[in-house]
């Protein structure tokens, strides 16, 4: 694909370029108890049938159903089968075996009656029902998963459910994706540390903490750095860290301001630009590139909402493609009319509501521009409103990218 020069490119083009330059994450082997939140790099395959045997699901007795069908209601208890003991056999088909939940179903029986439906006195069990279902209360071998079946495909983010499966198939350790080593930079002389009291012309470094928290939710740790508006310092610092980190995320310094040195610095350091500007609002001045050593650079706009948008719309997309994750697009119904005249993709903040009829409804909440980061705490995600359209009406359906988990 031909690299894009200093022009505004469509949203879809930016995604295609990111996919073309996805990362190549290595793998590592971790103990199972250390795998929560990691991304699986191997398939989890059933090493046996699930369940591995016909399993009793209720405490009670097991009988041969044909005896009940012929009218027999009282059975002599011949033996007891507990969970974790070898398989037994009913010797006399007119008798029964007392069985416990989790036990392997004995030979020569096929139906389990729970204690609540029995009267047992002096090893005589009487069934207090006139109707039984043949083979009731038995979890049959292989009905859940057959041996050799892929239960969890690689690329899955490991939750407690997948950890449970891994243990069940005998995996004391797992191959997972090794996350890139990430450094996040704030840029600009107007930014001061969060524990400082800013002067009137200053603001605190907030963007980098939001990005770091987002990455942590995705299972990626990162370190924070700050760069002053000093080209020589930028060259020295970035040149040194290019040898140490895999993924670089910058906030600010990528527009056309007199002190926006970052694009020139990256060019001098032989980082190839893949694109710089995108036909979108917010977040048009977004720079993406890489060098010959495979280091990836995301230089995001400095405005808080713009930076936040680009993390969820592009960095998350790139991460999923790099990990081989197939993500499904979430579609929601628009609650209120929206007008947006510029010929740009519009990432609009919205709240998300689940309706009794099962529909997800998004109410667009316009903030006061890309600097209004306070609006982010009032909303749940971004609507993706397409180009070539200026009016968006209630009840129409559009893609939605959530950044807050509500349920």
């Amino acid at each position: 694909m031909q690299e894009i020069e200093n022009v505004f490119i469509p949203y879809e083009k930016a995604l295609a370029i990111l996919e073309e330059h996805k990362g190549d994450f290595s793998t590592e082997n971790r103990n199972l108890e250390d795998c929560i939140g990691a991304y699986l790099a191997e398939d989890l395959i059933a090493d046996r049938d699930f369940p591995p045997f016909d399993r009793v699901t209720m405490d009670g007795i097991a009988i041969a159903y044909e005896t009940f069908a012929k009218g027999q209601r009282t059975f002599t208890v011949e033996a007891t089968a507990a969970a974790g003991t070898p398989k037994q056999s009913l010797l006399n088909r007119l008798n029964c075996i007392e069985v416990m939940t989790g036990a392997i179903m004995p030979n020569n029986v096929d139906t389990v009656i729970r204690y609540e439906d029995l009267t047992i006195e002096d090893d005589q069990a009487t069934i207090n029902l006139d109707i039984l279902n043949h083979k009731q209360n038995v979890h049959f071998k292989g009905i859940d998963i057959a041996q050799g079946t892929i239960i969890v495909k690689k690329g899955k983010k490991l939750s407690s459910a997948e950890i449970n499966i891994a243990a069940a198939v005998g995996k004391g350790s797992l191959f997972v994706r090794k996350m890139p080593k990430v450094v996040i930079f704030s840029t600009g002389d107007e930014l001061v540390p969060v524990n400082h009291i800013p002067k009137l012309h200053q603001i605190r470094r907030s963007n980098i903490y939001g990005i770091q928290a987002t990455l942590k939710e995705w299972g990626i740790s990162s370190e924070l750095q700050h760069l002053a508006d000093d080209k020589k310092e930028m060259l020295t610092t970035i040149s040194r860290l290019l040898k140490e980190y895999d993924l670089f995320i910058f906030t600010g310094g990528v527009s056309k301001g007199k002190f926006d040195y970052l694009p020139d610095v990256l060019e001098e350091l032989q980082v190839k630009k893949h694109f710089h500007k995108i036909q979108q609002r917010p977040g048009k001045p977004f720079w993406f590139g890489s060098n010959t050593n495979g280091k990836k650079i995301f230089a995001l706009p400095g405005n808080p909402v713009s930076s936040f948008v680009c993390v969820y719309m592009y960095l998350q997309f790139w991460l999923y493609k790099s990990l081989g994750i197939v993500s499904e697009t979430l579609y929601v119904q628009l609650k209120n009319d929206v007008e947006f005249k510029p010929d740009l993709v519009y990432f609009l903040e919205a709240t998300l509501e689940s309706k009794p009829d099962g529909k997800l409804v998004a109410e667009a909440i316009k903030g006061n521009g890309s600097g209004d980061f306070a609006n982010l705490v009032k909303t749940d995600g971004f609507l993706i409103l397409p180009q070539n359209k200026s009016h968006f009406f209630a009840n129409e359906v559009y893609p939605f990218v959530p950044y807050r988990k509500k349920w």
Side-chain angles (χ1 to χ4, degrees):
M1 179 181 295
Q2 184 180 2
E3 305 302 345
I4 305 300
E5 295 302 324
N6 193 23
V7 296
F8 289 94
I9 65 171
Y11 161 67
E12 295 81 7
K13 187 74 168 179
L15 294 180
I17 293 172
L18 287 168
E19 183 171 4
E20 182 184 10
H21 296 282
K22 62 187 177 184
D24 184 15
F25 296 172
S26 59
T27 63
E28 59 183 351
N29 190 257
R30 289 191 200 171
N31 291 333
L32 184 59
E33 56 268 31
D34 298 324
C35 287
I36 189 72
Y39 293 88
L40 190 62
E42 60 175 306
D43 293 331
L44 294 184
I45 300 173
D47 65 330
R48 62 202 301 211
D49 289 334
F50 280 78
F53 52 81
D54 293 343
R55 176 180 171 273
V56 175
T57 64
M58 289 285 183
D59 297 326
I61 64 171
I63 66 169
Y65 178 80
E66 63 178 348
T67 57
F68 179 87
K70 291 178 179 178
Q72 184 175 334
R73 294 294 181 270
T74 300
F75 299 79
T76 298
V77 178
E78 187 178 287
T80 300
T85 60
K87 188 173 186 176
Q88 299 191 41
S89 296
L90 183 69
L91 301 179
N92 184 339
R93 293 180 67 82
L94 299 180
N95 293 342
C96 69
I97 292 181
E98 205 166 351
V99 291
M100 304 298 121
T101 300
I104 186 169
M105 191 71 169
N107 289 319
N108 303 322
V109 294
D110 55 18
T111 301
V112 173
I113 302 92
R114 60 182 188 162
Y115 279 135
E116 291 88 337
D117 299 321
L118 300 169
T119 300
I120 301 179
E121 294 180 357
D122 299 325
D123 290 333
Q124 298 294 309
T126 300
I127 300 173
N128 301 319
L129 297 173
D130 293 325
I131 298 175
L132 294 180
N133 293 318
H134 186 210
K135 300 183 179 181
Q136 69 178 26
N137 300 325
V138 183
H139 193 189
F140 289 97
K141 177 181 178 181
I143 195 171
D144 296 341
I145 298 288
Q147 182 178 0
T149 301
I150 296 176
I151 308 175
V152 183
K153 292 183 179 180
K154 60 183 177 181
K156 182 77 172 179
K157 186 175 183 180
L158 293 166
S159 70
S160 55
E162 289 78 32
I163 296 295
N164 200 348
I165 291 294
V169 299
K171 303 290 289 188
S173 63
L174 290 172
F175 283 100
V176 297
R177 291 289 185 182
K178 189 176 182 180
M179 292 293 102
K181 192 173 182 181
V182 182
V183 58
I184 307 170
F185 293 89
S186 54
T187 65
D189 292 343
E190 75 279 16
L191 300 177
V192 297
V194 294
N195 57 350
H196 284 204
I197 297 175
K199 296 178 182 178
L200 184 61
H201 60 283
Q202 296 174 324
I203 57 175
R204 294 186 177 96
R205 302 167 192 166
S206 59
N207 289 358
I208 55 175
Y209 290 95
I211 296 171
Q212 185 180 53
T214 300
L215 291 178
K216 191 171 184 180
E217 288 179 343
W218 297 344
I220 302 174
S221 59
S222 58
E223 296 184 25
L224 303 180
Q225 296 271 349
H226 179 72
L227 290 172
D229 289 326
D230 183 308
K231 187 173 181 181
K232 184 177 179 180
E233 178 190 330
M234 284 185 169
L235 278 165
T236 302
T237 302
I238 298 172
S239 176
R240 173 172 54 85
L241 295 180
L242 276 170
K243 302 171 186 176
E244 185 178 347
Y245 292 89
D246 306 308
L247 175 61
F248 292 71
I249 303 171
F250 296 88
T251 61
V254 291
S255 296
K256 283 294 185 180
K258 188 174 182 179
F259 301 103
D260 289 335
Y261 300 123
L262 190 55
D264 290 340
V265 167
L266 292 172
E267 184 178 354
E268 287 188 39
L269 293 173
Q270 298 183 324
V271 177
K272 186 174 184 180
K273 177 183 67 179
H274 301 311
F275 61 75
H276 187 177
K277 300 176 180 179
I278 304 176
Q279 297 168 11
Q280 65 182 39
R281 183 178 292 176
K284 286 187 286 186
F286 167 34
W287 195 102
F288 170 70
S290 61
N291 70 6
T292 55
N293 293 325
K295 307 300 177 75
K296 301 296 190 296
I297 289 82
F298 287 75
L300 312 177
N303 283 324
V305 177
S306 299
S307 176
F308 200 74
V309 163
C310 290
V311 166
Y312 274 90
M313 298 300 172
Y314 298 106
L315 183 58
Q316 183 173 231
F317 174 87
W318 176 85
L319 177 66
Y320 281 5
K321 292 300 180 182
S322 300
L323 292 169
I325 297 173
V326 179
S327 59
E328 296 183 0
T329 302
L330 178 66
Y331 290 94
V332 300
Q333 190 177 75
L334 189 59
K335 183 176 183 178
N336 50 328
D337 295 347
V338 174
E339 182 178 346
F340 181 70
K341 292 184 177 180
D343 187 21
L344 303 169
V345 169
Y346 190 20
F347 300 127
L348 180 57
E349 296 155 73
T351 59
L352 194 61
E353 182 181 2
S354 177
K355 293 292 188 180
D357 60 3
K359 292 179 181 178
L360 291 176
V361 177
E363 181 178 5
I365 308 291
K366 289 186 178 181
N368 295 312
S370 57
D372 183 12
F373 57 89
N375 199 47
L376 294 173
V377 301
K378 305 173 187 175
T379 51
D380 303 306
F382 298 104
L383 288 158
I384 303 178
L385 302 181
Q387 282 183 271
N388 306 317
K389 187 175 180 179
S390 58
H391 291 86
F392 307 89
F393 298 103
N395 299 320
E396 292 179 342
V397 173
Y398 294 101
F400 185 83
V401 176
Y403 52 75
R404 190 191 311 281
K405 295 180 179 179
K406 297 192 69 172
W407 300 285

